[in-house]
Amino acid sequence: MSGHLRVVAADAELRPHDHIDFAFADDRILRFNDPRRFGSVHWCDANVYDHPLLRHLGVEPLGEAFTGDLLYQSSRKRQVAVKNFIMASDVVVGVGNIYANESLFQAGIRPTRPAGAIARARYQRLAEAIKSTLQRAIDAGGTTLRDFVGFDGKPGYFALELDVYGRAGEPCLACDRKLKGIVLGQRQTVYCPQCQRY
């Protein structure tokens, strides 16, 4: 989204939409800025995973618990499109629209395919693609499309590596066929009809 955390000096001037500072002993501050006010900060005395906003969240995609088997088991009897399924926070957290598009392309899965109709082996490929895509994005500093910056104030460069997202109508980088753009779950979805036939 549009909010961010950044590390600044203790005497750094406040900017519009700066909402909270976490001060450290070394005179640095972790500052939370959120123009659209989607974020929130909560103090928890008990187990943080028992908090009502967190207890129903799915697994972390870069953790060991996230596997193709988990996706396969969670998807049984679900008719929702696989793209919407992997973006559902009760299944897995942190797979946003851009990363869902890219991961499905890497795994060769059409985003509209019903989640319950995908085989275990294909889900294994998808889990690996999600992990790989997210790690590549982290290594590139994130994906700056408009105003995103990392904690250091620098833009992310993963947008330079996108295979499908934002490229509807352009040639596929793998097969040269025209990429198709649709709206799925009210989100921009781009895929290759040739490479993502499954």
Side-chain angles (χ1 to χ4, degrees):
M1 295 296 178
S2 58
H4 61 270
L5 292 165
R6 68 183 191 281
V7 177
V8 297
D11 60 353
E13 189 174 323
L14 287 172
R15 296 180 184 175
H17 311 294
D18 282 342
H19 296 294
I20 191 166
D21 285 348
F22 298 92
F24 298 98
D26 65 356
D27 288 331
R28 291 186 308 158
I29 289 174
L30 179 65
R31 183 164 284 163
F32 176 59
N33 180 285
D34 188 16
R36 295 169 71 187
R37 296 182 183 245
F38 286 151
S40 61
V41 176
H42 302 265
W43 182 265
C44 296
D45 288 330
N47 181 347
V48 67
Y49 297 107
D50 289 335
H51 191 281
L53 293 174
L54 302 177
R55 75 170 61 120
H56 300 292
L57 293 179
V59 298
E60 177 66 36
L62 296 177
E64 290 182 19
F66 181 65
T67 65
D69 285 336
L70 175 112
L71 288 176
Y72 177 78
Q73 293 299 329
S74 301
S75 68
R76 298 304 84 194
K77 299 185 180 179
R78 289 201 183 187
Q79 293 301 308
V80 64
V82 66
K83 181 180 174 228
N84 295 351
F85 171 70
I86 63 172
M87 289 178 63
S89 63
D90 63 330
V91 176
V92 57
V93 296
V95 182
N97 190 41
I98 294 170
Y99 305 120
N101 276 276
E102 295 297 306
S103 299
L104 288 164
F105 176 75
Q106 293 299 322
I109 299 172
R110 190 163 294 203
T112 56
R113 188 164 177 84
I118 296 173
R120 185 185 305 266
R122 193 59 70 154
Y123 269 125
Q124 186 58 44
R125 287 181 64 182
L126 181 56
E128 291 169 7
I130 289 170
K131 287 183 180 209
S132 170
T133 299
L134 290 174
Q135 191 58 60
R136 286 176 35 234
I138 290 167
D139 293 345
T143 308
T144 295
L145 297 178
R146 284 181 297 211
D147 60 359
F148 169 80
V149 293
F151 73 93
D152 56 1
K154 296 179 182 174
Y157 294 98
F158 190 64
L160 301 174
E161 299 180 34
L162 296 176
D163 290 316
V164 291
Y165 183 81
R167 297 189 59 243
E170 295 179 27
C172 174
L173 299 175
C175 73
D176 214 33
R177 186 162 176 187
K178 186 175 170 181
L179 296 175
K180 185 170 183 178
I182 61 170
V183 175
L184 187 60
Q186 299 177 343
R187 304 301 299 270
Q188 169 74 23
T189 303
V190 182
Y191 68 95
C192 175
Q194 177 66 31
C195 295
Q196 295 173 261
R197 287 182 290 177
Y198 184 79

